[in-house]
Amino acid sequence: MPITQARARPASLVRRTSQAWERITITDRGRPAAVLINPRELADLEDALALALAQYRARKSSGEATGVCHDEVRARLGLQRG
């Protein structure tokens, strides 16, 4: 949804994410700029990511991990969040 449309109806968008768990991508000049999601869904995603990272680190410390975690890839490529 273009940012101009989102600006015209923020309350409606908040209700859609809150009640229907709908993800809404807001674009700026055709490129994704932000995503509105239900806060419970965000918490679930963060919990799943934390668990996966903890499991990866445990496998890595025991010598079982063969891959590279996402944070390490970003660091190696010089990519920063933000």
Side-chain angles (χ1 to χ4, degrees), residues 15-36:
R15 279 192 292 280
R16 285 169 50 187
T17 59
S18 174
Q19 296 169 359
W21 286 53
E22 182 179 349
R23 290 185 192 181
I24 300 170
T25 301
I26 298 173
T27 60
D28 187 11
R29 297 184 180 108
R31 302 184 84 196
V35 178
L36 296 175

Side-chain angles (χ1 to χ4, degrees), residues 21 39-49:
W21 286 53
R40 288 174 289 168
E41 183 179 6
L42 175 61
D44 290 347
L45 290 169
E46 290 172 335
D47 289 347
L49 179 59

Side-chain angles (χ1 to χ4, degrees), residues 32-72:
V35 178
L36 296 175
I37 65 169
N38 183 290
R40 288 174 289 168
E41 183 179 6
L42 175 61
D44 290 347
L45 290 169
E46 290 172 335
D47 289 347
L49 179 59
L51 177 61
L53 186 56
Q55 291 171 339
Y56 167 78
R57 288 180 174 153
R59 287 192 317 273
K60 185 176 179 181
S61 68
S62 69
E64 296 175 36
T66 58
V68 178
C69 79
H70 188 253
D71 289 339
E72 193 171 328

